[in-house]
Amino acid sequence: MESSTIILVIVGLYLVISLLTGILPSLRISNSVDGFVAGDRSMNVLILYFVLGASIFSSFAFLGGPGWAYSRGMAALYIIAYGVIGIVPLYFFGPRAWRLGKRYGYITQAELIAGRFDSKFISILLAVLSVAVFIPYLTLQMRGAAFVLHVISDGMIPEWAGAAITYAVVLVYVYFSGVMGVGWSNAFQGMFMMILAWVLGLYLPNALYGGIGNMFSEIMAAGHEPMLTAPGLAADGSRWSWWEYSSAVLVSAVGFSVWPHFFMRSFAAKTPRSLRLSIVLYPTFLLFLVPILLIGFSAIILFPGVEQADSILPYLLMQLDLPAVVIGLFCAGTLAASMSSGDAILHSAASVGVRDGISKLMRTPPSDQNERLMIRILVLFIGIIAYYFAVVADISIVALLLGSYGGVAQIFPIICVMFYWKRATKWGAIAGLLGGIIVNTIFLMWPELKPLPVHEGIYGLVINILLLTSISLLTKPDPNECIKKFMDSGSESARK
Amino acid sequence: MHITKTTRKHGKKRHYLVIGHATFRLNRILFSVVMLITSFFLLWPGYTFFSSATPFIAGLPLSFAWVILWVIIGFAAMLALYISDNKDSETD
């Protein structure tokens, strides 16, 4: 068999299995919004573990991770560093959110926040923020999948077709199975890419240099010591400053647990205990970035001067004359990374868009069946918009996405006070959130205004916290019953 | 004032740290301390002392091995918290 045929067969098989694992759960969930968005609160540890892991490891991890290691050295470690710090808040927020969701029927993050502050405005603001962040995020996932298929197939699969085929599969299983489709397909995709990453990450340094130690010695000997010294290099090849590294880790860690598509999986857990266990196990998923980065390092000496750092992994595989099976598996692995994030984002964007945005704007709230139908229609609609940006429109969206991390981090202080500070008020929350997002956006667009070279999200957070506390103290306390149910959500007895 | 006391709730043991009028669960305090140390060593200034490429540890540059070490410590701390939470709380 010709090597291109082998590759296509493997990719095809992978897509069929993804489709099947994604569609089958639709037989088991109820025909309700609760079933579609929160899987009837029935996810076990295994599924949750892969959902939490795979939602975050996107095509950025598979393409951007090695790209960073290749061009910026140890700077790439920031992805690992923020993960281990950033997951911790969810251990405390998650079970609280779960109990409140179980009792009051919440299934999205914005609904939870709006429940505490009794504000439709916050709900709509968060829905707009989420959808605005999710569309570029989804677009990047599509572009990643399309790019890899195009390169590996030697141009045989054009980018429009690559994105269309992979995301048609995603659309179908998200449309039919909702979050459980995301869950089961992510379990398959997550396992697949984890195994692949470890095999490839250990194989390449061994095959090319005779071991990981040898590889790093050679990189040192070639005069790349600055790359191997933390915190690595900046994008322009100069040394990355500790300010920038530390603030990037900090902002990403703060934002990590409150990404709407990540946070809302708390509602899907079967019990608070299973949610906690899957959060505790998360760092084991994080370690899978280690072999991924090793792949990037392995290209530094052998293939210097590749302009587009993000393409280093497919580039490397094409140069090395590897067996077609390996290339096919790798190709499917990258698709798995792209799809396992893309499906979670697509599902959350539509759920949040309808539940917290459109439904709130309607004069009479829609029935459960209608709401579910609206979410499904929005799934298709958002899929098509993202496809348009990925394939047709020629605009750069990477900057938009990078900016979104600082924006999402602004949700964190509100989640914190919601559970732990009685005196926080609706107006404090609105002022903090708006102020934080505005300041973050200003420094993102005009970085020369920054007094110190730290991430714009930090400035946003400072203003956010100042406004949140001062306005809260200046305004009348919120109604006691709202506060009480949130403050008491820390223990099981609150359910009685 | 720091006093550690043990109470029995639903027949299970719980350890508390009492500072003035405030009471904290001991396992949560210990966990927070470990995570603060983790953050200190993964960011400026803690990481700067271990940021060099050499010596190599198990084939990896020190800067790389250092981050992996703290991921493992963070994981162990979370696991310990989870186990102790299950032991001493009602059902969550």
Side-chain angles (χ1 to χ4, degrees), chain A residues 142-172:
Chain A
M142 284 189 184
R143 281 193 185 168
F147 172 74
V148 167
L149 278 180
H150 182 72
V151 173
I152 298 278
S153 70
D154 240 350
M156 216 162 51
I157 304 174
E159 299 209 351
W160 65 266
I165 298 164
T166 43
Y167 276 81
V169 170
V170 170
L171 268 181
V172 168

Side-chain angles (χ1 to χ4, degrees), chain A residues 197-215:
Chain A
W198 280 106
V199 171
L200 214 58
L202 297 179
Y203 168 78
L204 283 178
N206 269 307
L208 300 175
Y209 299 90
I212 294 169
N214 288 348
M215 175 177 86

Side-chain angles (χ1 to χ4, degrees), chain A residues 110-258:
Chain A
E111 225 175 349
L112 189 71
I113 297 174
R116 162 67 177 80
F117 295 109
D118 190 25
S119 161
K120 221 185 232 189
F121 180 72
I122 289 196
S123 168
I124 294 167
L125 181 66
L126 285 172
V128 172
L129 176 71
S130 306
V131 176
V133 166
F134 281 151
I135 289 179
Y137 203 154
L138 183 58
T139 303
L140 272 191
Q141 304 309 319
M142 284 189 184
R143 281 193 185 168
F147 172 74
V148 167
L149 278 180
H150 182 72
V151 173
I152 298 278
S153 70
D154 240 350
M156 216 162 51
I157 304 174
E159 299 209 351
W160 65 266
I165 298 164
T166 43
Y167 276 81
V169 170
V170 170
L171 268 181
V172 168
Y173 70 71
V174 172
Y175 184 91
F176 283 106
S177 311
V179 75
M180 289 314 268
V182 173
W184 282 94
S185 59
N186 281 12
F188 162 67
Q189 292 157 346
M191 261 182 264
F192 187 74
M193 64 186 181
M194 251 175 144
I195 294 169
L196 205 74
W198 280 106
V199 171
L200 214 58
L202 297 179
Y203 168 78
L204 283 178
N206 269 307
L208 300 175
Y209 299 90
I212 294 169
N214 288 348
M215 175 177 86
F216 281 113
S217 302
E218 282 194 40
I219 296 174
M220 283 277 279
H224 291 301
E225 191 173 343
M227 255 188 158
L228 299 186
T229 307
L233 306 180
D236 61 2
S238 65
R239 232 181 130 53
W240 209 18
S241 79
W242 280 106
W243 278 109
E244 284 168 289
Y245 162 81
S246 301
S247 60
V249 171
L250 217 55
V251 169
S252 308
V254 167
F256 186 59
S257 61
V258 297

Side-chain angles (χ1 to χ4, degrees), chain A residues 28 41 83 94 101 114 152 165 182 198 242 264 285 306 321-322 334 341 360 369 390 421 424 430 436 475:
Chain A
R28 285 182 44 197
R41 305 178 204 276
I152 298 278
I165 298 164
V182 173
W198 280 106
W242 280 106
M264 71 190 275
F285 215 101
V306 174
D321 209 21
L322 292 166
T334 315
S341 301
K360 293 284 184 298
Q369 285 302 309
W421 194 41
I430 292 176
T475 45

Side-chain angles (χ1 to χ4, degrees), chain A residues 229-496:
Chain A
T229 307
L233 306 180
D236 61 2
S238 65
R239 232 181 130 53
W240 209 18
S241 79
W242 280 106
W243 278 109
E244 284 168 289
Y245 162 81
S246 301
S247 60
V249 171
L250 217 55
V251 169
S252 308
V254 167
F256 186 59
S257 61
V258 297
W259 270 90
H261 67 298
F262 198 59
F263 185 92
M264 71 190 275
R265 299 302 169 234
S266 306
F267 299 114
K270 209 172 194 169
T271 62
R273 192 181 280 203
S274 54
L275 176 61
R276 281 205 163 134
L277 185 57
S278 48
I279 293 169
V280 166
L281 293 174
Y282 175 79
T284 57
F285 215 101
L286 201 57
L287 284 177
F288 121 90
L289 278 172
V290 171
I292 289 274
L293 297 187
L294 290 178
I295 297 173
F297 282 114
S298 72
I300 292 177
I301 300 219
L302 291 179
F303 304 103
V306 174
E307 283 285 318
Q308 225 188 332
D310 285 355
S311 68
I312 194 66
L313 187 42
Y315 180 87
L316 191 67
L317 288 168
M318 295 312 283
Q319 299 297 316
L320 288 179
D321 209 21
L322 292 166
V325 178
V326 176
I327 299 178
L329 285 174
F330 157 76
C331 202
T334 315
L335 294 188
S338 157
M339 290 165 73
S340 61
S341 301
D343 58 9
I345 295 159
L346 181 64
H347 170 266
S348 304
S351 307
V352 171
V354 168
R355 184 92 177 172
D356 304 317
I358 298 168
S359 288
K360 293 284 184 298
L361 290 169
M362 288 165 75
R363 200 169 292 163
T364 44
S367 70
D368 195 77
Q369 285 302 309
N370 281 344
E371 197 173 32
R372 180 157 161 272
L373 181 68
M374 281 158 64
I375 296 176
R376 284 180 152 182
I377 293 172
L378 199 59
V379 164
L380 298 178
F381 191 63
I382 290 177
I384 292 168
I385 295 179
Y387 181 77
Y388 170 80
F389 282 125
V391 182
V392 185
D394 187 27
I395 50 160
S396 168
I397 44 166
V398 179
L400 236 163
L401 187 68
L402 287 178
S404 66
Y405 280 83
V408 169
Q410 307 307 323
I411 304 174
F412 185 83
I414 292 166
I415 303 249
C416 251
V417 297
M418 170 169 93
F419 292 128
Y420 301 105
W421 194 41
K422 281 183 195 149
R423 199 53 188 81
T425 68
K426 169 178 160 179
W427 293 109
I430 292 176
L433 188 61
L434 271 180
I437 293 172
I438 292 170
V439 170
N440 176 67
T441 314
I442 289 175
F443 284 119
L444 178 73
M445 298 184 54
W446 295 284
E448 64 277 7
L449 295 178
K450 286 183 194 174
L452 288 170
V454 298
H455 195 285
E456 56 277 356
I458 299 277
Y459 295 103
L461 281 170
V462 170
I463 297 298
N464 185 338
I465 294 167
L466 280 178
L467 284 172
L468 176 61
T469 45
S470 59
I471 306 272
S472 286
L473 291 173
L474 288 173
T475 45
K476 218 166 65 200
D478 281 345
N480 207 24
E481 63 268 30
C482 284
I483 299 172
K484 198 168 171 341
K485 70 181 189 192
F486 276 77
M487 297 299 291
D488 290 345
S489 60
S491 72
E492 202 66 14
S493 51
R495 287 201 306 163
K496 284 167 194 153

Side-chain angles (χ1 to χ4, degrees), chain B:
Chain B
M1 198 155 81
H2 302 241
I3 309 164
T4 311
K5 71 171 184 182
T6 309
T7 58
R8 282 182 176 275
K9 198 175 180 183
H10 302 282
K12 309 248 171 122
K13 270 187 189 173
R14 263 191 183 182
H15 299 275
Y16 294 94
L17 185 68
V18 183
I19 305 167
H21 291 293
T23 317
F24 303 96
R25 273 159 77 177
L26 192 62
N27 64 344
R28 297 281 164 105
I29 300 273
L30 289 175
F31 176 73
S32 308
V33 171
V34 174
M35 286 323 293
L36 280 177
I37 296 172
T38 303
S39 308
F40 176 82
F41 279 119
L42 283 178
L43 300 170
W44 183 89
Y47 194 9
T48 57
F49 303 111
F50 303 90
S51 63
S52 65
T54 50
F56 283 11
I57 293 159
L60 295 171
L62 175 66
S63 52
F64 200 149
W66 184 248
V67 171
I68 296 175
L69 171 75
W70 285 99
V71 171
I72 295 167
I73 291 174
F75 174 52
M78 281 174 75
L79 202 59
L81 177 70
Y82 174 75
I83 292 168
S84 72
D85 267 355
N86 279 350
K87 239 188 221 167
D88 73 10
S89 73
E90 299 135 66
T91 45
D92 73 289

